[in-house]
Amino acid sequence: MKTKPKTWCRAFHKIGSYCEDVENNSVESFNNTINKAREKPFVAMLETVRRLAMVRIAKRSAISYSHEGLCTPYVTRFLADEHKATSTCFVSPSTNGAYEVYLGYDKHRVCLNARTCTCMKFQICGIPCEHAYGLMIKKTLVAEDYVCEWFRTAKWRQNYTDGLVPQRGPRFWPSTGGENVYPPPKPDDEKIDKKRKKGVNESPTKKQPKQKKRIMHCGICGAADHNCRYHQKKKNKKNTTQVESSQGCLTQEK
């Protein structure tokens, strides 16, 4: 109950919209389509979206008129997925056009006259569910005749009859009478080079004070001409020189 089943569970879907989708795929598809248009200025962005929508409607209209069949391709795919389950249905007739359909461990009441099934899928989708489709196959009926009108090819073509009207260029647009809006002037290349040399956060007019050079001191002897690492090397070098001089004196005495 914490997930609010009224927003996604089929038992709470409204009857009459003939849509069982509970995701936002259409919004994500729209955002992906206008992704390049978002980078443009406001008017150019709207013009790009308008042109994309106009071309999309024209393509969909051509596809709908090239399709042959009573219903849309979506219905064909929908019924093809249910065809495997319909072969295992057992049908028991009743009065007033009602039937009892067994499918696996489930049993549902189907009425072809009212186009209803107790699983509620037939009423929500507008396309026969697996129970109703199994009944139609047993009675050798055409399933497309019981599909909602919104999934018919004629209605599909009607959706794209009135598309977007092509527009003329900005020169022919009506004037608002307001002030013209221009892009900001581009900075000179020399100023850009100076800013890059001096740094982004530094002002080009103010002189920056010179930083004092840091003087390293030795941590052993405290002298300023070397550090502790070179002090040790200097000490080792001095000892080596003393040993060599002493060995030279010994050889001269011999």
Side-chain angles (χ1 to χ4, degrees):
M1 297 303 295
K2 291 181 180 180
T3 60
K4 298 180 181 180
K6 289 185 178 181
T7 60
W8 59 268
C9 185
R10 181 179 293 170
F12 299 98
H13 279 209
K14 293 181 180 180
I15 306 299
S17 60
Y18 300 108
C19 181
E20 63 172 346
D21 296 336
V22 293
E23 73 282 337
N24 61 341
N25 289 345
S26 58
V27 178
E28 293 179 0
S29 177
F30 177 76
N31 289 335
N32 187 33
T33 303
I34 65 171
N35 191 22
K36 293 182 179 180
R38 289 178 172 179
E39 302 174 356
K40 299 182 178 181
F42 185 72
V43 177
M45 178 188 68
L46 296 179
E47 277 294 295
T48 304
V49 174
R50 181 195 61 78
R51 186 171 59 256
L52 290 173
M54 181 180 66
V55 174
R56 184 184 181 90
I57 291 173
K59 289 182 179 179
R60 292 296 181 90
S61 178
I63 294 172
S64 64
Y65 277 95
S66 63
H67 175 70
E68 296 180 359
L70 182 63
C71 298
T72 60
Y74 174 75
V75 177
T76 305
R77 295 192 299 268
F78 192 96
L79 296 176
D81 294 338
E82 295 180 342
H83 190 270
K84 297 179 181 179
T86 55
S87 59
T88 59
C89 287
F90 295 94
V91 179
S92 301
S94 182
T95 57
N96 300 321
Y99 295 85
E100 195 173 81
V101 180
Y102 292 84
L103 181 60
Y105 297 99
D106 294 332
K107 181 172 60 176
H108 290 281
R109 182 174 64 254
V110 179
C111 182
L112 295 180
N113 295 333
R115 299 185 181 184
T116 58
C117 179
T118 52
C119 73
M120 298 300 295
K121 186 178 180 180
F122 197 175
Q123 296 91 301
I124 292 173
C125 299
I127 305 173
C129 59
E130 54 267 21
H131 312 103
Y133 190 29
L135 172 60
M136 294 172 189
I137 292 177
K138 298 292 183 183
K139 293 179 65 65
T140 64
L141 299 173
V142 180
E144 284 78 3
D145 294 336
Y146 294 89
V147 176
C148 174
E149 62 173 348
W150 300 108
F151 295 99
R152 302 292 178 90
T153 305
K155 186 67 70 175
W156 183 27
R157 293 171 180 172
Q158 187 179 353
N159 290 335
Y160 302 109
T161 301
D162 298 328
L164 297 179
V165 180
Q167 300 296 321
R168 304 180 75 182
R171 278 198 310 121
F172 303 96
W173 293 353
S175 179
T176 59
E179 296 181 359
N180 295 329
V181 179
Y182 300 99
K186 294 183 179 180
D188 298 335
D189 295 336
E190 295 180 359
K191 293 182 178 180
I192 295 174
D193 294 337
K194 289 181 180 179
K195 287 183 179 180
R196 288 177 179 174
K197 290 178 181 179
K198 293 186 176 181
V200 179
N201 298 326
E202 296 178 1
S203 176
T205 56
K206 295 181 180 180
K207 293 183 178 179
Q208 297 294 331
K210 293 183 179 180
Q211 295 182 356
K212 294 182 179 180
K213 188 177 180 181
R214 186 177 177 183
I215 301 173
M216 302 295 294
H217 290 78
C218 179
I220 298 175
C221 64
D225 57 343
H226 62 277
N227 55 16
C228 59
R229 185 175 57 183
Y230 290 99
H231 178 88
Q232 193 68 26
K233 288 184 179 180
K234 191 175 181 181
K235 186 178 180 181
N236 294 336
K237 187 177 180 181
K238 187 177 180 181
N239 295 335
T240 306
T241 306
Q242 291 177 356
V243 170
E244 290 177 353
S245 61
S246 61
Q247 289 178 352
C249 294
L250 289 173
T251 51
Q252 286 178 3
E253 289 178 357
K254 289 180 180 179

